[in-house]
Amino acid sequence: MNCEEIIKKMNRDEKIALLTGKDSWHTVSLDRLGIPSIAVSDGPHGLRKIGTDANGKEFTYKATCFPTASAMSATWNTELVRKVGEAIGEECGAMDVDVILGPGTNIKRTPLCGRNFEYFSEDPYLAGEMSAAFIDGVQSRNVGTSLKHFAANNQEYDRFQINADIDIRTLREIYLKPFEIAVRKAKPWTVMCAYNRLNGIYCSENKFLLNDILREEWGFDGIVVSDWGAVHDRAKSLLASLELEMPFSAKSADNLKKALDAGVITENEIDNAVRKLLDFIFKAIESRKKRTKSYDTSEHHRLAKEAALEAITLLKNDEGILPINSKKVRKIAVIGRLAQEPAIQGEGSSHVEANLTDKPLDKILELAGNDIEVEYQPAYHTWDTGIGGLNKAMDAAMNSQMAVVFVGNRRGVEGEGFDRQSIRLSREMEDVILRIAECNPNTVVVVQAGSAIDMSSWIGRVKAVVFTWFAGQAAGSAIADILFGVSNPCGKIAETFPCSLEDTPAYGTYPGNGYVSRYAEGIMVGYRYYDTYKKDVLFPFGHGLSYTSFEYGDLK
């Protein structure tokens, strides 16, 4: 039975029911007409599938936690991103998921944005190419993607209603460009609209955005799905070309019926949306026949480590203190609880229940072997504020030839639904670095974070800085391999690290006045701003060192 025949047999209530979700993770099924339900799940750096146990309690299935988008972009390796996408697609197929909600493609307008770890870059071209590669990878495994959050969702603060006020050139060149690249190159099955307003109109109701640009200009032929709870007026969103409202909304059907009775929308407009949804549903059903129903957990962990190794970025390495060499160093102090409990991802809907998590300390002890003595001291509490055992850590540093300090962002700092209050590490973390550096001139700092950090208060006191990003479940062993030179660091940052928050281009207008956030900096986002106005930065876009020495010569 083709879609046109099905539509002819559908009554009005069935058509309207199809335009919103059945629950949080499934579309509506209509058994009478042979229309099955489609399953979606969160992503994008690994599958977050929610299940329900025998007692009705929700749980999250285990999956591979790959490095987050900010880490993947530091690899500058689209082929690697595609491989990760393929692996995630395989896991979706094995767990009966038809569409994974990702990739996140928003531009990093300010380093304060709480979900910057989920986004690729401040550069539109790089973000677009990375997104296209991810989509290609997932969809090559006959699983759909949902390109998000369309568009200008560049802050979490007040995201449900803030109006992003952006001039048309800036909108086109900066904030829409990565989506355009991804849509044209990779053809995602779905595009997810953002919560916020764009130039006065909610993205879910923005016909200029969803129809005129996305469909008419870029040729998108999939469906537009709302972010969860982003629809305010279902009839207006339908007119804007939003086919699927998620999750289930009790008021949606009533809103559409009243609009239909009042002549605000027509039966033909309902049919057009249903037609696109049916095309999508049957495409997903046909794709199920081609999916692999299992995957190699150990191989995916190996791939997660490969990605982590390419992402980890050496920001500073004075006097070639790294890699750790047993001929020069006989004892090292490993400081910081994050060496045992690494921060591998941010918080929110993208949080993956990892299959396993490598601990940096375990691999450090393995690589040190009998040649290097390792003393570990936790120095601080992992997830709450406060310092515990700093005196012991200082003693360990004084009695060692090198100190390796693990620091990073605790829970509640980087995640969905909130922005960072500062781009500095917590006071306790900075205090640990400074105290240890006083005790040992050969101090190496390992930073686990998802976005740019202001290091100005301590970077001059330490010999080396390794920035790991949120590098996924294999981060621990990858970090140790980098520290000991088993692998050569090759990550290059895909976002500028400013000297201070006050130096950032959106500092004067973020987060807005409670209604509107004016993008007054225009196209001067990221490195465009720092280069144009010759502003000093901590580390420039593209920075990243390695253990290799080379020189240029005889250039013509």
Side-chain angles (χ1 to χ4, degrees):
M1 191 184 296
N2 65 35
C3 293
E4 295 305 322
E5 291 173 345
I6 292 174
I7 290 171
K8 287 175 184 175
K9 293 184 178 183
M10 295 176 80
N11 61 45
R12 188 174 80 161
D13 287 346
E14 287 171 331
K15 291 176 182 178
I16 286 173
L18 202 63
L19 300 178
T20 189
K22 179 172 74 174
D23 52 31
S24 291
W25 306 112
H26 300 86
T27 62
V28 168
S29 60
L30 295 170
D31 295 338
R32 180 180 78 84
L33 298 163
I35 301 172
S37 180
I38 297 304
V40 304
S41 277
D42 276 322
H45 56 268
L47 179 60
R48 176 181 173 263
K49 182 180 177 180
I50 306 298
T52 307
D53 65 20
N55 298 316
K57 187 178 180 182
E58 283 192 347
F59 69 94
T60 306
Y61 288 90
K62 288 187 178 293
T64 308
C65 180
F66 289 95
T68 67
S70 63
M72 291 305 302
S73 61
T75 70
W76 294 70
N77 186 339
T78 53
E79 186 53 41
L80 181 58
V81 172
R82 182 189 163 91
K83 285 182 185 176
V84 169
E86 290 171 357
I88 292 172
E90 289 171 5
E91 297 193 17
C92 288
M95 293 195 225
D96 299 318
V97 170
D98 296 296
V99 175
I100 190 165
L101 304 176
T105 309
N106 296 96
I107 291 294
K108 301 183 187 191
R109 178 189 178 222
T110 168
L112 289 175
C113 179
R115 286 177 98 170
N116 273 355
F117 69 93
E118 280 191 65
Y119 302 147
F120 289 109
S121 182
E122 66 191 29
D123 179 67
Y125 178 73
L126 178 59
E129 290 293 327
M130 289 289 181
S131 294
F134 179 88
I135 293 165
D136 276 340
V138 173
Q139 295 188 172
S140 74
R141 295 304 185 258
N142 301 295
V143 170
T145 56
S146 196
L147 181 65
K148 65 184 188 181
H149 309 90
F150 193 56
N153 183 177
N154 309 113
Q155 63 188 62
E156 290 298 284
Y157 180 84
D158 210 18
R159 63 176 173 160
F160 295 110
Q161 67 165 16
I162 197 69
N163 177 29
D165 183 3
I166 311 175
D167 70 86
I168 193 66
R169 180 188 174 190
T170 300
L171 184 64
R172 290 275 191 179
E173 292 185 17
I174 305 296
Y175 297 100
L176 295 186
K177 181 57 70 175
F179 290 97
E180 180 182 6
I181 292 169
V183 167
R184 289 187 186 275
K185 286 192 73 168
K187 302 189 185 319
W189 288 12
T190 79
V191 169
M192 183 193 294
C193 80
Y195 285 117
N196 52 280
R197 294 178 173 98
L198 176 60
N199 293 333
I201 303 170
Y202 282 110
C203 289
S204 61
E205 302 169 7
N206 199 314
K207 184 174 180 290
F208 172 71
L209 183 69
L210 303 183
N211 185 74
D212 300 358
I213 291 179
L214 179 62
R215 291 197 183 281
E216 300 299 329
E217 187 177 321
W218 298 349
F220 176 66
D221 60 1
I223 66 159
V224 176
V225 58
S226 71
D227 203 340
W228 269 227
V231 170
H232 297 264
D233 185 316
R234 187 64 186 97
K236 286 183 179 178
S237 67
L238 182 79
L239 291 172
S241 195
L242 188 146
E243 287 75 41
L244 179 60
E245 176 184 5
M246 288 296 287
F248 169 76
S249 169
K251 66 181 182 179
S252 178
D254 189 52
N255 176 279
L256 287 173
K257 286 174 186 176
K258 286 179 179 177
L260 197 56
D261 291 340
V264 175
I265 57 175
T266 66
E267 192 84 35
N268 188 52
E269 285 162 337
I270 293 273
D271 286 353
N272 283 337
V274 169
R275 188 175 292 109
K276 288 172 188 163
L277 265 174
L278 290 175
D279 284 341
F280 158 71
I281 289 167
F282 288 115
K283 178 179 183 177
I285 295 303
E286 191 62 28
S287 296
R288 287 177 181 176
K289 302 172 186 175
K290 307 170 190 172
R291 293 178 196 158
T292 305
K293 285 298 183 180
S294 63
Y295 68 96
D296 186 334
T297 305
S298 59
E299 171 57 24
H300 285 194
H301 185 74
R302 186 209 62 75
L303 178 61
K305 182 174 179 179
E306 179 186 342
L309 284 169
E310 287 211 25
I312 292 170
T313 309
L314 182 63
L315 295 177
K316 179 179 180 179
N317 193 26
D318 286 358
E319 299 174 23
I321 190 172
L322 290 177
I324 298 168
N325 187 336
S326 61
K327 293 178 181 177
K328 299 178 181 177
V329 177
R330 303 301 296 174
K331 182 179 181 182
I332 61 174
V334 175
I335 311 294
R337 202 176 289 272
L338 286 173
Q340 259 198 329
E341 301 171 31
I344 64 170
Q345 59 185 322
E347 296 174 64
S349 61
S350 70
H351 187 90
V352 178
E353 195 68 33
N355 281 322
L356 61 112
T357 302
D358 290 351
K359 297 179 180 180
L361 183 60
D362 289 348
K363 192 61 186 289
I364 287 171
L365 290 169
E366 178 189 322
L367 293 175
N370 297 322
D371 297 325
I372 301 175
E373 182 184 349
V374 177
E375 181 176 353
Y376 166 69
Q377 292 294 338
Y380 55 80
H381 306 300
T382 311
W383 299 122
D384 55 353
T385 57
I387 291 174
L390 182 54
N391 287 338
K392 288 183 179 179
M394 292 167 67
D395 287 343
M398 280 190 284
N399 294 318
S400 301
Q401 291 163 289
M402 178 188 290
V404 182
V405 184
F406 282 78
V407 294
N409 279 330
R410 292 181 170 104
R411 288 191 187 123
V413 176
E414 293 186 81
E416 180 182 3
F418 53 88
D419 284 340
R420 290 200 279 171
Q421 301 299 303
S422 167
I423 61 170
R424 291 176 62 162
L425 295 170
S426 68
R427 179 179 56 80
E428 293 89 356
M429 294 281 185
E430 288 193 347
D431 197 31
V432 169
I433 295 169
L434 291 168
R435 296 289 186 90
I436 298 303
E438 283 179 8
C439 297
N440 192 317
N442 296 317
T443 294
V444 174
V445 178
V446 178
V447 184
Q448 299 171 51
S451 190
I453 297 288
D454 173 358
M455 308 177 187
S456 55
S457 68
W458 52 266
I459 194 164
R461 314 280 185 88
V462 303
K463 285 275 179 74
V465 178
V466 177
F467 200 85
T468 74
W469 309 95
F470 288 149
Q473 67 180 51
S477 57
I479 292 166
D481 281 358
I482 294 292
L483 290 173
F484 281 83
V486 176
S487 293
N488 187 38
C490 55
K492 312 291 179 195
I493 59 176
E495 60 194 84
T496 305
F497 281 38
C499 294
S500 69
L501 180 61
E502 290 78 5
D503 287 340
T504 58
Y507 179 73
T509 52
Y510 165 88
N513 61 9
Y515 176 76
V516 64
S517 180
R518 288 192 61 245
Y519 286 44
E521 69 280 2
I523 64 168
M524 294 299 166
V525 177
Y527 64 84
R528 289 168 171 79
Y529 170 76
Y530 300 107
D531 287 355
T532 300
Y533 294 105
K534 297 180 170 46
K535 296 279 287 186
D536 288 336
V537 297
L538 187 67
F539 296 110
F541 178 85
H543 175 78
L545 308 175
S546 76
Y547 298 147
T548 307
S549 297
F550 57 90
E551 63 182 29
Y552 295 106
D554 298 324
L555 299 177
K556 291 189 174 76

